[in-house]
Amino acid sequence: MAHTDSGMELHDRFAIPGVLRIGAGNGELPCITVTAEPASAEIYLHGAHVTHFQPRGSTPLLFMSKSSQFAPGKPIRGGIPLIFPWFGARASDKTSPAHGFARLMPWDIESADLRADGSVRVVLTLASDDATLAQWPHAFSLRLIVIVASFLDITLEIRNRSAQEMQFEEAMHTYLKVGNIRQTTVEGLADVELVDKVAAGERRKESSEPIRFLGETDRVYLHTTSATTVRDVANSRLITVEKEGSDATVVWNPWIAKAKAMADFGDEEWPDMLCIESANALDCVVTLAPSATHRMRAKISVAPL
Ligand code: TA6
């Protein structure tokens, strides 16, 4: 499908009456709105970006900055940015966009289905083209499979379409909504090796205690496949992020100074969010043989505390 398909054409092709519609979202960007029995969600074709997920009877699970941009070529600040094919600043070229180009490009819709259990499955795609090959000389195809159920289940599938081996980093840079970061703790990363980006990349092991937040926190946990649980005390809920095909987990809160430094993030929004990112990054890059496919999956669910 050409990227030029308008929201109207996409709606005609993929709408599910009473369940899924496609129209102009923020910034007039094409947006898929899901109102399924178990949950509601929003997915922008821009970056295949899940911007909203709310299980029926619960409050939104994902944070979205009130100052976020919604514009071609610009990242959306909140929801689940898709990071590919490099994580953070590109070591080899500082002029490259941070976190790669996948979140900056318009994706296509492959399918949208209502399933027997009332959940909705949406598949979005992105293939390499001249623009991506100019930045990263590897032919690839990406598919994002999103299942909107009482939980949010997302899989990022990457296929190596070239005749050479490829190496890449990736992340589902998930912004969870919490009631107050100072009353929030994280479990599941005890004793795990980490790179602390707030301490000049210092490497150390996490303690055996739940992680608390007392300041800017930016850590890449390595060689961990475990689920992460966020105790969102202010909202009396437990948010769990299970994962497959991911060997790293990133934990990030910008705190006060970094919040002020980001134009697309409100100065007072930092207590309301915590990024728990299912990733393959730093020491945990993915090496993919020609014609091979790699899948990374995250399942985000909520339960009362
Ligand atoms: O995942 C944490 C991180 O790498 C932080 O260092 C911070 O830069 C954050 O991502 C947001 O990056 P962005 O490019 O979206 O502003």
Side-chain angles (χ1 to χ4, degrees):
M1 176 196 69
H3 294 324
T4 52
D5 279 10
S6 73
M8 291 297 286
E9 287 151 333
L10 291 169
H11 180 82
D12 292 344
R13 290 176 60 196
F14 296 105
I16 304 169
V19 175
L20 183 147
R21 59 186 167 80
I22 301 172
N26 293 327
E28 299 301 306
L29 295 174
C31 177
I32 302 168
T33 301
V34 176
T35 49
E37 190 282 325
S40 60
E42 284 180 359
I43 311 166
Y44 280 76
L45 272 61
H46 176 65
H49 201 124
V50 180
T51 55
H52 174 76
F53 173 69
Q54 183 170 356
R56 184 175 297 281
S58 184
T59 55
L61 227 47
L62 301 178
F63 166 86
M64 176 57 62
S65 173
K66 293 180 180 60
S67 305
S68 178
Q69 299 181 86
F70 286 83
K74 300 288 184 189
I76 294 172
R77 179 69 67 190
I80 306 177
L82 293 181
I83 310 305
F84 174 85
W86 59 82
F87 184 86
R90 193 179 188 186
S92 60
D93 175 1
K94 296 296 182 207
T95 64
S96 295
H99 287 324
F101 46 68
R103 66 175 179 170
L104 305 176
M105 300 184 72
W107 290 48
D108 296 329
I109 303 179
E110 177 184 291
S111 62
D113 302 291
L114 174 61
R115 310 199 309 172
D117 64 359
S119 65
V120 169
R121 179 178 185 271
V122 177
V123 181
L124 300 168
T125 61
L126 180 74
S128 50
D129 60 13
D130 291 346
T132 65
L133 289 166
Q135 298 183 69
W136 193 64
H138 298 284
F140 63 84
S141 56
L142 304 185
R143 294 175 77 235
L144 186 76
I145 299 101
V146 182
I147 296 173
V148 179
S150 57
F151 50 84
L152 180 64
D153 187 328
I154 49 178
T155 298
L156 179 59
E157 183 183 277
I158 295 158
R159 177 142 184 220
N160 181 352
R161 295 283 190 190
S162 76
Q164 298 79 32
E165 180 178 276
M166 67 163 60
Q167 279 203 336
F168 60 85
E169 296 174 300
E170 60 181 340
M172 295 173 186
H173 196 297
T174 304
Y175 284 74
L176 298 175
K177 189 172 180 57
V178 297
N180 184 341
I181 189 66
R182 288 167 292 204
Q183 298 174 22
T184 299
T185 57
V186 168
E187 296 175 40
L189 295 168
D191 307 317
V192 174
E193 180 190 354
L194 69 97
V195 174
D196 189 340
K197 291 170 66 176
V198 172
E202 173 196 271
R203 286 173 179 254
R204 67 175 192 272
K205 277 183 73 173
E206 186 53 75
S207 76
S208 53
E209 297 302 313
I211 300 166
R212 297 186 173 286
F213 299 89
L214 307 170
E216 180 187 356
T217 305
D218 193 350
R219 301 174 194 167
V220 181
Y221 291 83
L222 299 170
H223 311 298
T224 172
T225 57
S226 66
T228 303
T229 300
V230 176
R231 191 175 287 272
D232 177 10
V233 173
N235 285 326
S236 303
R237 64 185 184 179
L238 275 178
I239 305 172
T240 301
V241 182
E242 299 166 85
K243 64 176 191 171
E244 293 169 9
S246 159
D247 289 339
T249 296
V250 183
V251 177
W252 178 58
N253 182 283
W255 217 255
I256 300 166
K258 279 285 171 51
K260 285 197 171 78
M262 293 186 283
D264 62 347
F265 189 98
D267 292 357
E268 309 308 322
E269 290 185 317
W270 56 273
D272 309 334
M273 55 69 68
L274 175 62
C275 281
I276 298 290
E277 306 164 36
S278 311
N280 287 298
L282 300 191
D283 307 19
C284 301
V285 297
V286 176
T287 299
L288 198 54
S291 303
T293 296
H294 179 273
R295 289 178 187 83
M296 177 169 71
R297 177 180 175 225
K299 179 182 174 187
I300 305 169
S301 54
V302 64
L305 244 183

